[in-house]
Amino acid sequence: MSGVKEKFFCEDLPTRFIPGMGDILVSGASGYIGGRLVPELAARGYRVRALVRADPSSFQSRWPQVRVVCADALDMVGLREKLKGIHTAYYLIHSMLLGEKRFEKADILAAENFRAAAMEQGVSRIIYLGGLGDIGSPLSPHLRSRMQVADTLQQGGVPVTVLRAAIIIGSGSASFEIVKNLVKNLPVLPIPRWAKTQCQPISIRDVIKYLVGVLELDETLGKSYDIGGEEILTYEEMLRVLADILGKRRIFIPFLFSSRKLYAYMASLFTPVPMQITMCLMGGCRNEVVCQNHEIVRVIPFERLSYKEALVRAISQEEQDRIHTRWSDAYPPAHELALKLSELRVSPRYTSSYRLSTTKERSALFDSICRIGGKQGWFNSNWLWRLRGLLDKILTGVGTARGRRSHRELRINDVIDFWRVEDLKVNEMLLLRAEMKLPGKAWLRFDIEPGTAGNFLSVSGYFLTSSLAGKLYWYLFLPFHRFIFYDLITQIERRS
């Protein structure tokens, strides 16, 4: 479905477009930063190749002026081919969604592959966005991994420009949604000791400007820079500033337990961001993340946004339903939740389907289907969906609080509460993949088919399991399917 017109950040950038540079590759283009960088570079006039790990067709329609290619950095053969003919490559890949126990090894292997492929294909430079952190102190696994990736990329023969950032504030960023939802949902905010640590947050607008700016300056070749916003704040001060903006009177009390895991779990219950990501981000909160190197301010001078200005912009974008990318945009292929219905070797044994006949137009039915979830809920029996989401959150799943990127449109890889859009055909079909905690894999599919006197609207549930727990789960909830699913398509038809 078509989206709103994108606003570009780099129109007032002091650097200038370099004609004839050659193709520029943005790896991690399906992610939060990459998804914003790709259209900026294209609008500036560069030939862009967007590297994604999902089906490129959905991104090609989103960026018609860009060549979209598919490869996984963990697959050296595929990666080598996609880097052929590239002048500059942005490295924006991370594996946080794999969880703390797995992401460090995956990050290093991906960086080693990327470095080797870039050297083989004669890439002129690599630009990498990493994390701030005092290397003189013990770093969290997340920050340590970001530093190790930079070191790994720099060990090759391709010059690497490294930008190091702390918390990134923008509509759809994980950090912003954690801070915002803690302030909105908790009248009393527990403050652990590490919330007194200093941080230098930066606006997503300024991050994109720096990423484009270093590309257009030869003097940045092979150098490293710290990038940050105008202010240095503690995490507690960041919460207080947002509370003032939202007009929320909040009580801040010392939190007796400093356990990062406990606080991350508690935070995940009240925010859309699941515990795996919250753990990674909060792990760095014990480290001071403040710019030590201020050279970038001289090299690329522009007026940076304050933390308060970045928050106001992010809130405004949300209110206008103009979130172009979100932290939840995609899982890496290695993630257990990335298995697609079309990729199954055998069809799911457990299925249930419900259908009704209607005289409503297909376009009206499809628009109604695409409004499910998020703030509008599931049209009826919302308490059941919320109860299932609460249970999922308690079990460290994603829950229903993730909501939606946009209230008006859907595109492949968008999330809808604890579902993800796996496939979408306008006025025909919507396929959702379950990402809640389950003893198996599940999908929900909506179809609109022509009939003799109108159209048929149907919903089908698919469940894949081989365990006893999965079978018991299916048969336990099967009696509720008619009530929930048939009622759902009835409400969709009425609202069309």
Side-chain angles (χ1 to χ4, degrees), residues 9-18 40 44 46 205-220 295-304:
F9 299 136
C10 298
E11 295 172 354
D12 59 343
L13 197 62
T15 58
R16 292 289 177 264
F17 164 72
I18 301 176
E40 288 284 346
R44 206 148 171 89
Y46 294 107
R205 183 204 74 157
D206 294 347
V207 171
I208 297 299
K209 282 189 172 185
Y210 282 131
L211 285 169
V212 175
V214 295
L215 170 71
E216 298 176 342
L217 290 175
D218 288 340
E219 66 177 286
T220 64
E295 183 66 12
I296 194 70
V297 178
R298 179 194 65 80
V299 174
I300 307 175
F302 62 84
E303 188 175 348
R304 295 170 294 169

mmCIF file of all heavy atoms in Angstrom, residues 9-18 40 44 46 205-220 295-304:
data_model
loop_
_atom_site.group_PDB
_atom_site.id
_atom_site.type_symbol
_atom_site.label_atom_id
_atom_site.label_comp_id
_atom_site.label_asym_id
_atom_site.label_seq_id
_atom_site.Cartn_x
_atom_site.Cartn_y
_atom_site.Cartn_z
ATOM 1 N N PHE A 9 16.297 14.815 5.082
ATOM 2 C CA PHE A 9 17.034 15.546 6.112
ATOM 3 C C PHE A 9 18.211 16.348 5.571
ATOM 4 O O PHE A 9 18.641 17.317 6.177
ATOM 5 C CB PHE A 9 17.586 14.568 7.151
ATOM 6 C CG PHE A 9 16.541 13.775 7.881
ATOM 7 C CD1 PHE A 9 16.702 12.427 8.088
ATOM 8 C CD2 PHE A 9 15.399 14.391 8.375
ATOM 9 C CE1 PHE A 9 15.758 11.693 8.780
ATOM 10 C CE2 PHE A 9 14.441 13.663 9.056
ATOM 11 C CZ PHE A 9 14.617 12.311 9.256
ATOM 12 N N CYS A 10 18.778 15.935 4.445
ATOM 13 C CA CYS A 10 20.100 16.420 4.048
ATOM 14 C C CYS A 10 20.079 17.611 3.091
ATOM 15 O O CYS A 10 21.100 17.934 2.484
ATOM 16 C CB CYS A 10 20.892 15.269 3.428
ATOM 17 S SG CYS A 10 21.190 13.912 4.580
ATOM 18 N N GLU A 11 18.942 18.261 2.936
ATOM 19 C CA GLU A 11 18.853 19.383 2.006
ATOM 20 C C GLU A 11 19.749 20.544 2.422
ATOM 21 O O GLU A 11 20.255 21.284 1.580
ATOM 22 C CB GLU A 11 17.398 19.840 1.885
ATOM 23 C CG GLU A 11 16.483 18.779 1.266
ATOM 24 C CD GLU A 11 15.017 19.163 1.323
ATOM 25 O OE1 GLU A 11 14.716 20.204 1.954
ATOM 26 O OE2 GLU A 11 14.190 18.439 0.753
ATOM 27 N N ASP A 12 19.964 20.724 3.745
ATOM 28 C CA ASP A 12 20.795 21.827 4.224
ATOM 29 C C ASP A 12 22.162 21.351 4.699
ATOM 30 O O ASP A 12 22.843 22.049 5.449
ATOM 31 C CB ASP A 12 20.081 22.574 5.361
ATOM 32 C CG ASP A 12 19.762 21.662 6.537
ATOM 33 O OD1 ASP A 12 19.796 20.434 6.360
ATOM 34 O OD2 ASP A 12 19.474 22.193 7.637
ATOM 35 N N LEU A 13 22.587 20.183 4.266
ATOM 36 C CA LEU A 13 23.886 19.648 4.645
ATOM 37 C C LEU A 13 24.990 20.485 3.992
ATOM 38 O O LEU A 13 24.895 20.816 2.812
ATOM 39 C CB LEU A 13 23.992 18.187 4.203
ATOM 40 C CG LEU A 13 25.070 17.318 4.832
ATOM 41 C CD1 LEU A 13 24.864 17.176 6.333
ATOM 42 C CD2 LEU A 13 25.069 15.929 4.187
ATOM 43 N N PRO A 14 26.071 20.838 4.738
ATOM 44 C CA PRO A 14 27.125 21.692 4.164
ATOM 45 C C PRO A 14 27.973 20.991 3.101
ATOM 46 O O PRO A 14 28.627 21.665 2.302
ATOM 47 C CB PRO A 14 27.979 22.064 5.384
ATOM 48 C CG PRO A 14 27.714 21.004 6.401
ATOM 49 C CD PRO A 14 26.291 20.589 6.177
ATOM 50 N N THR A 15 27.978 19.667 3.064
ATOM 51 C CA THR A 15 28.717 18.955 2.022
ATOM 52 C C THR A 15 27.884 18.903 0.744
ATOM 53 O O THR A 15 26.695 19.217 0.749
ATOM 54 C CB THR A 15 29.058 17.533 2.483
ATOM 55 O OG1 THR A 15 27.845 16.840 2.813
ATOM 56 C CG2 THR A 15 29.959 17.569 3.710
ATOM 57 N N ARG A 16 28.523 18.485 -0.342
ATOM 58 C CA ARG A 16 27.846 18.511 -1.640
ATOM 59 C C ARG A 16 27.883 17.145 -2.323
ATOM 60 O O ARG A 16 28.823 16.369 -2.149
ATOM 61 C CB ARG A 16 28.504 19.557 -2.566
ATOM 62 C CG ARG A 16 28.271 20.993 -2.097
ATOM 63 C CD ARG A 16 26.819 21.399 -2.292
ATOM 64 N NE ARG A 16 26.562 22.746 -1.795
ATOM 65 C CZ ARG A 16 26.082 23.021 -0.591
ATOM 66 N NH1 ARG A 16 25.821 22.035 0.246
ATOM 67 N NH2 ARG A 16 25.858 24.268 -0.214
ATOM 68 N N PHE A 17 26.877 16.903 -3.133
ATOM 69 C CA PHE A 17 26.779 15.683 -3.930
ATOM 70 C C PHE A 17 28.001 15.543 -4.824
ATOM 71 O O PHE A 17 28.452 16.512 -5.438
ATOM 72 C CB PHE A 17 25.504 15.738 -4.765
ATOM 73 C CG PHE A 17 25.450 14.745 -5.896
ATOM 74 C CD1 PHE A 17 25.270 13.392 -5.635
ATOM 75 C CD2 PHE A 17 25.593 15.166 -7.211
ATOM 76 C CE1 PHE A 17 25.211 12.470 -6.677
ATOM 77 C CE2 PHE A 17 25.540 14.250 -8.257
ATOM 78 C CZ PHE A 17 25.346 12.897 -7.988
ATOM 79 N N ILE A 18 28.536 14.307 -4.897
ATOM 80 C CA ILE A 18 29.703 14.033 -5.734
ATOM 81 C C ILE A 18 29.246 13.234 -6.950
ATOM 82 O O ILE A 18 28.924 12.040 -6.828
ATOM 83 C CB ILE A 18 30.775 13.251 -4.962
ATOM 84 C CG1 ILE A 18 31.227 14.049 -3.731
ATOM 85 C CG2 ILE A 18 31.974 12.948 -5.862
ATOM 86 C CD1 ILE A 18 32.216 13.314 -2.855
ATOM 87 N N GLU A 40 17.421 8.850 1.331
ATOM 88 C CA GLU A 40 18.199 10.096 1.409
ATOM 89 C C GLU A 40 19.277 10.112 0.333
ATOM 90 O O GLU A 40 19.453 11.121 -0.361
ATOM 91 C CB GLU A 40 18.853 10.224 2.787
ATOM 92 C CG GLU A 40 17.896 10.532 3.918
ATOM 93 C CD GLU A 40 17.423 11.979 3.946
ATOM 94 O OE1 GLU A 40 18.032 12.825 3.249
ATOM 95 O OE2 GLU A 40 16.451 12.258 4.653
ATOM 96 N N ARG A 44 19.453 12.456 -3.105
ATOM 97 C CA ARG A 44 20.621 13.324 -3.305
ATOM 98 C C ARG A 44 21.245 13.122 -4.681
ATOM 99 O O ARG A 44 22.053 13.936 -5.126
ATOM 100 C CB ARG A 44 21.641 13.048 -2.211
ATOM 101 C CG ARG A 44 22.559 14.213 -1.908
ATOM 102 C CD ARG A 44 22.937 14.207 -0.461
ATOM 103 N NE ARG A 44 23.976 15.181 -0.141
ATOM 104 C CZ ARG A 44 23.743 16.439 0.205
ATOM 105 N NH1 ARG A 44 22.490 16.871 0.264
ATOM 106 N NH2 ARG A 44 24.731 17.258 0.486
ATOM 107 N N TYR A 46 22.561 9.869 -5.831
ATOM 108 C CA TYR A 46 23.482 8.740 -5.938
ATOM 109 C C TYR A 46 22.776 7.489 -6.483
ATOM 110 O O TYR A 46 21.573 7.314 -6.299
ATOM 111 C CB TYR A 46 24.087 8.418 -4.564
ATOM 112 C CG TYR A 46 24.983 9.516 -4.050
ATOM 113 C CD1 TYR A 46 24.577 10.349 -3.011
ATOM 114 C CD2 TYR A 46 26.253 9.726 -4.604
ATOM 115 C CE1 TYR A 46 25.390 11.367 -2.538
ATOM 116 C CE2 TYR A 46 27.071 10.744 -4.132
ATOM 117 C CZ TYR A 46 26.639 11.558 -3.102
ATOM 118 O OH TYR A 46 27.451 12.557 -2.645
ATOM 119 N N ARG A 205 17.729 12.390 12.593
ATOM 120 C CA ARG A 205 18.021 13.346 11.522
ATOM 121 C C ARG A 205 19.506 13.628 11.440
ATOM 122 O O ARG A 205 20.109 13.648 10.357
ATOM 123 C CB ARG A 205 17.254 14.649 11.769
ATOM 124 C CG ARG A 205 17.433 15.689 10.664
ATOM 125 C CD ARG A 205 17.189 17.105 11.148
ATOM 126 N NE ARG A 205 18.301 17.589 11.975
ATOM 127 C CZ ARG A 205 18.584 18.875 12.171
ATOM 128 N NH1 ARG A 205 17.831 19.802 11.618
ATOM 129 N NH2 ARG A 205 19.594 19.243 12.922
ATOM 130 N N ASP A 206 20.140 13.851 12.597
ATOM 131 C CA ASP A 206 21.565 14.186 12.620
ATOM 132 C C ASP A 206 22.439 12.984 12.280
ATOM 133 O O ASP A 206 23.497 13.118 11.667
ATOM 134 C CB ASP A 206 21.937 14.747 13.991
ATOM 135 C CG ASP A 206 21.253 16.086 14.281
ATOM 136 O OD1 ASP A 206 20.700 16.679 13.331
ATOM 137 O OD2 ASP A 206 21.254 16.522 15.441
ATOM 138 N N VAL A 207 22.006 11.785 12.661
ATOM 139 C CA VAL A 207 22.746 10.572 12.292
ATOM 140 C C VAL A 207 22.794 10.430 10.775
ATOM 141 O O VAL A 207 23.856 10.176 10.185
ATOM 142 C CB VAL A 207 22.098 9.315 12.919
ATOM 143 C CG1 VAL A 207 22.741 8.046 12.362
ATOM 144 C CG2 VAL A 207 22.232 9.344 14.437
ATOM 145 N N ILE A 208 21.664 10.610 10.116
ATOM 146 C CA ILE A 208 21.614 10.495 8.655
ATOM 147 C C ILE A 208 22.483 11.568 8.002
ATOM 148 O O ILE A 208 23.195 11.301 7.022
ATOM 149 C CB ILE A 208 20.159 10.595 8.152
ATOM 150 C CG1 ILE A 208 19.312 9.440 8.702
ATOM 151 C CG2 ILE A 208 20.116 10.616 6.627
ATOM 152 C CD1 ILE A 208 19.785 8.065 8.300
ATOM 153 N N LYS A 209 22.460 12.760 8.551
ATOM 154 C CA LYS A 209 23.303 13.827 7.995
ATOM 155 C C LYS A 209 24.783 13.474 8.068
ATOM 156 O O LYS A 209 25.545 13.689 7.115
ATOM 157 C CB LYS A 209 23.041 15.137 8.742
ATOM 158 C CG LYS A 209 21.774 15.855 8.322
ATOM 159 C CD LYS A 209 21.707 17.235 8.947
ATOM 160 C CE LYS A 209 20.557 18.046 8.386
ATOM 161 N NZ LYS A 209 20.541 19.436 8.893
ATOM 162 N N TYR A 210 25.197 12.916 9.189
ATOM 163 C CA TYR A 210 26.600 12.536 9.327
ATOM 164 C C TYR A 210 26.959 11.383 8.397
ATOM 165 O O TYR A 210 28.045 11.352 7.798
ATOM 166 C CB TYR A 210 26.910 12.157 10.776
ATOM 167 C CG TYR A 210 27.095 13.338 11.694
ATOM 168 C CD1 TYR A 210 26.421 13.405 12.913
ATOM 169 C CD2 TYR A 210 27.948 14.394 11.358
ATOM 170 C CE1 TYR A 210 26.589 14.487 13.773
ATOM 171 C CE2 TYR A 210 28.122 15.482 12.209
ATOM 172 C CZ TYR A 210 27.440 15.523 13.422
ATOM 173 O OH TYR A 210 27.607 16.601 14.269
ATOM 174 N N LEU A 211 26.052 10.422 8.243
ATOM 175 C CA LEU A 211 26.322 9.294 7.351
ATOM 176 C C LEU A 211 26.487 9.747 5.901
ATOM 177 O O LEU A 211 27.340 9.240 5.171
ATOM 178 C CB LEU A 211 25.183 8.264 7.451
ATOM 179 C CG LEU A 211 25.162 7.390 8.708
ATOM 180 C CD1 LEU A 211 23.853 6.624 8.808
ATOM 181 C CD2 LEU A 211 26.341 6.415 8.721
ATOM 182 N N VAL A 212 25.676 10.694 5.483
ATOM 183 C CA VAL A 212 25.792 11.229 4.124
ATOM 184 C C VAL A 212 26.992 12.164 4.028
ATOM 185 O O VAL A 212 27.741 12.140 3.044
ATOM 186 C CB VAL A 212 24.500 11.968 3.711
ATOM 187 C CG1 VAL A 212 24.671 12.635 2.343
ATOM 188 C CG2 VAL A 212 23.323 11.002 3.679
ATOM 189 N N GLY A 213 27.209 12.961 5.060
ATOM 190 C CA GLY A 213 28.291 13.945 5.043
ATOM 191 C C GLY A 213 29.671 13.327 4.904
ATOM 192 O O GLY A 213 30.506 13.808 4.125
ATOM 193 N N VAL A 214 29.943 12.252 5.645
ATOM 194 C CA VAL A 214 31.278 11.639 5.554
ATOM 195 C C VAL A 214 31.507 11.020 4.180
ATOM 196 O O VAL A 214 32.654 10.945 3.710
ATOM 197 C CB VAL A 214 31.497 10.584 6.664
ATOM 198 C CG1 VAL A 214 31.484 11.235 8.040
ATOM 199 C CG2 VAL A 214 30.460 9.455 6.602
ATOM 200 N N LEU A 215 30.454 10.590 3.522
ATOM 201 C CA LEU A 215 30.587 10.059 2.169
ATOM 202 C C LEU A 215 31.119 11.122 1.220
ATOM 203 O O LEU A 215 31.896 10.823 0.299
ATOM 204 C CB LEU A 215 29.215 9.569 1.684
ATOM 205 C CG LEU A 215 29.091 9.184 0.207
ATOM 206 C CD1 LEU A 215 29.839 7.888 -0.073
ATOM 207 C CD2 LEU A 215 27.628 9.049 -0.193
ATOM 208 N N GLU A 216 30.742 12.365 1.446
ATOM 209 C CA GLU A 216 31.045 13.452 0.514
ATOM 210 C C GLU A 216 32.305 14.227 0.863
ATOM 211 O O GLU A 216 32.576 15.258 0.253
ATOM 212 C CB GLU A 216 29.834 14.388 0.447
ATOM 213 C CG GLU A 216 28.585 13.670 -0.074
ATOM 214 C CD GLU A 216 27.332 14.510 -0.074
ATOM 215 O OE1 GLU A 216 27.303 15.549 0.623
ATOM 216 O OE2 GLU A 216 26.368 14.134 -0.772
ATOM 217 N N LEU A 217 33.087 13.722 1.810
ATOM 218 C CA LEU A 217 34.338 14.377 2.187
ATOM 219 C C LEU A 217 35.484 13.369 2.184
ATOM 220 O O LEU A 217 35.478 12.402 2.947
ATOM 221 C CB LEU A 217 34.226 15.006 3.577
ATOM 222 C CG LEU A 217 33.312 16.234 3.718
ATOM 223 C CD1 LEU A 217 33.230 16.658 5.170
ATOM 224 C CD2 LEU A 217 33.830 17.385 2.858
ATOM 225 N N ASP A 218 36.496 13.607 1.342
ATOM 226 C CA ASP A 218 37.635 12.699 1.258
ATOM 227 C C ASP A 218 38.432 12.657 2.558
ATOM 228 O O ASP A 218 39.042 11.632 2.876
ATOM 229 C CB ASP A 218 38.562 13.118 0.112
ATOM 230 C CG ASP A 218 37.948 12.828 -1.261
ATOM 231 O OD1 ASP A 218 37.031 11.982 -1.320
ATOM 232 O OD2 ASP A 218 38.379 13.456 -2.241
ATOM 233 N N GLU A 219 38.430 13.747 3.312
ATOM 234 C CA GLU A 219 39.246 13.784 4.533
ATOM 235 C C GLU A 219 38.734 12.837 5.618
ATOM 236 O O GLU A 219 39.438 12.553 6.584
ATOM 237 C CB GLU A 219 39.332 15.200 5.095
ATOM 238 C CG GLU A 219 38.016 15.766 5.604
ATOM 239 C CD GLU A 219 38.201 17.156 6.219
ATOM 240 O OE1 GLU A 219 38.748 17.245 7.331
ATOM 241 O OE2 GLU A 219 37.810 18.126 5.548
ATOM 242 N N THR A 220 37.505 12.329 5.461
ATOM 243 C CA THR A 220 36.973 11.396 6.457
ATOM 244 C C THR A 220 37.372 9.951 6.166
ATOM 245 O O THR A 220 37.083 9.054 6.956
ATOM 246 C CB THR A 220 35.434 11.474 6.513
ATOM 247 O OG1 THR A 220 34.891 11.039 5.246
ATOM 248 C CG2 THR A 220 34.970 12.897 6.803
ATOM 249 N N GLU A 295 35.843 16.105 16.625
ATOM 250 C CA GLU A 295 36.332 16.542 15.329
ATOM 251 C C GLU A 295 35.222 16.621 14.287
ATOM 252 O O GLU A 295 35.247 17.467 13.394
ATOM 253 C CB GLU A 295 37.431 15.586 14.858
ATOM 254 C CG GLU A 295 38.100 15.960 13.544
ATOM 255 C CD GLU A 295 38.901 17.260 13.621
ATOM 256 O OE1 GLU A 295 39.125 17.753 14.739
ATOM 257 O OE2 GLU A 295 39.284 17.774 12.554
ATOM 258 N N ILE A 296 34.204 15.765 14.401
ATOM 259 C CA ILE A 296 33.143 15.739 13.407
ATOM 260 C C ILE A 296 32.377 17.060 13.344
ATOM 261 O O ILE A 296 31.870 17.441 12.283
ATOM 262 C CB ILE A 296 32.159 14.575 13.704
ATOM 263 C CG1 ILE A 296 31.244 14.307 12.498
ATOM 264 C CG2 ILE A 296 31.324 14.858 14.947
ATOM 265 C CD1 ILE A 296 31.931 13.694 11.316
ATOM 266 N N VAL A 297 32.308 17.780 14.456
ATOM 267 C CA VAL A 297 31.599 19.065 14.482
ATOM 268 C C VAL A 297 32.309 20.082 13.592
ATOM 269 O O VAL A 297 31.674 20.933 12.964
ATOM 270 C CB VAL A 297 31.488 19.584 15.932
ATOM 271 C CG1 VAL A 297 30.793 20.936 15.969
ATOM 272 C CG2 VAL A 297 30.738 18.583 16.797
ATOM 273 N N ARG A 298 33.643 19.981 13.533
ATOM 274 C CA ARG A 298 34.408 20.871 12.648
ATOM 275 C C ARG A 298 34.316 20.420 11.201
ATOM 276 O O ARG A 298 34.153 21.233 10.277
ATOM 277 C CB ARG A 298 35.880 20.894 13.077
ATOM 278 C CG ARG A 298 36.767 21.794 12.192
ATOM 279 C CD ARG A 298 38.244 21.539 12.404
ATOM 280 N NE ARG A 298 38.641 20.196 11.983
ATOM 281 C CZ ARG A 298 38.870 19.857 10.713
ATOM 282 N NH1 ARG A 298 38.723 20.753 9.736
ATOM 283 N NH2 ARG A 298 39.239 18.632 10.410
ATOM 284 N N VAL A 299 34.398 19.122 10.993
ATOM 285 C CA VAL A 299 34.436 18.571 9.632
ATOM 286 C C VAL A 299 33.090 18.749 8.922
ATOM 287 O O VAL A 299 33.037 19.118 7.745
ATOM 288 C CB VAL A 299 34.834 17.081 9.683
ATOM 289 C CG1 VAL A 299 34.741 16.455 8.294
ATOM 290 C CG2 VAL A 299 36.243 16.924 10.232
ATOM 291 N N ILE A 300 32.004 18.474 9.634
ATOM 292 C CA ILE A 300 30.654 18.603 9.049
ATOM 293 C C ILE A 300 29.825 19.497 9.971
ATOM 294 O O ILE A 300 29.064 19.012 10.817
ATOM 295 C CB ILE A 300 29.980 17.223 8.875
ATOM 296 C CG1 ILE A 300 30.899 16.278 8.100
ATOM 297 C CG2 ILE A 300 28.643 17.366 8.145
ATOM 298 C CD1 ILE A 300 30.368 14.863 7.976
ATOM 299 N N PRO A 301 29.961 20.803 9.824
ATOM 300 C CA PRO A 301 29.251 21.719 10.732
ATOM 301 C C PRO A 301 27.788 21.927 10.323
ATOM 302 O O PRO A 301 27.496 22.251 9.180
ATOM 303 C CB PRO A 301 30.050 23.019 10.593
ATOM 304 C CG PRO A 301 30.615 22.970 9.215
ATOM 305 C CD PRO A 301 30.852 21.521 8.892
ATOM 306 N N PHE A 302 26.891 21.696 11.228
ATOM 307 C CA PHE A 302 25.480 22.050 11.057
ATOM 308 C C PHE A 302 24.862 22.127 12.445
ATOM 309 O O PHE A 302 25.442 21.667 13.434
ATOM 310 C CB PHE A 302 24.732 21.045 10.157
ATOM 311 C CG PHE A 302 24.680 19.638 10.690
ATOM 312 C CD1 PHE A 302 23.710 19.249 11.605
ATOM 313 C CD2 PHE A 302 25.600 18.694 10.257
ATOM 314 C CE1 PHE A 302 23.659 17.956 12.093
ATOM 315 C CE2 PHE A 302 25.550 17.384 10.740
ATOM 316 C CZ PHE A 302 24.581 17.022 11.655
ATOM 317 N N GLU A 303 23.709 22.735 12.518
ATOM 318 C CA GLU A 303 23.050 22.913 13.814
ATOM 319 C C GLU A 303 22.370 21.609 14.234
ATOM 320 O O GLU A 303 21.368 21.196 13.646
ATOM 321 C CB GLU A 303 22.015 24.040 13.730
ATOM 322 C CG GLU A 303 21.419 24.407 15.086
ATOM 323 C CD GLU A 303 20.490 25.597 15.009
ATOM 324 O OE1 GLU A 303 20.489 26.283 13.954
ATOM 325 O OE2 GLU A 303 19.761 25.842 15.986
ATOM 326 N N ARG A 304 22.922 20.993 15.261
ATOM 327 C CA ARG A 304 22.350 19.731 15.742
ATOM 328 C C ARG A 304 21.121 19.985 16.605
ATOM 329 O O ARG A 304 20.978 21.040 17.217
ATOM 330 C CB ARG A 304 23.405 18.968 16.564
ATOM 331 C CG ARG A 304 24.615 18.522 15.751
ATOM 332 C CD ARG A 304 25.710 17.989 16.669
ATOM 333 N NE ARG A 304 26.244 19.053 17.511
ATOM 334 C CZ ARG A 304 27.054 18.857 18.551
ATOM 335 N NH1 ARG A 304 27.390 17.624 18.893
ATOM 336 N NH2 ARG A 304 27.500 19.881 19.253
#
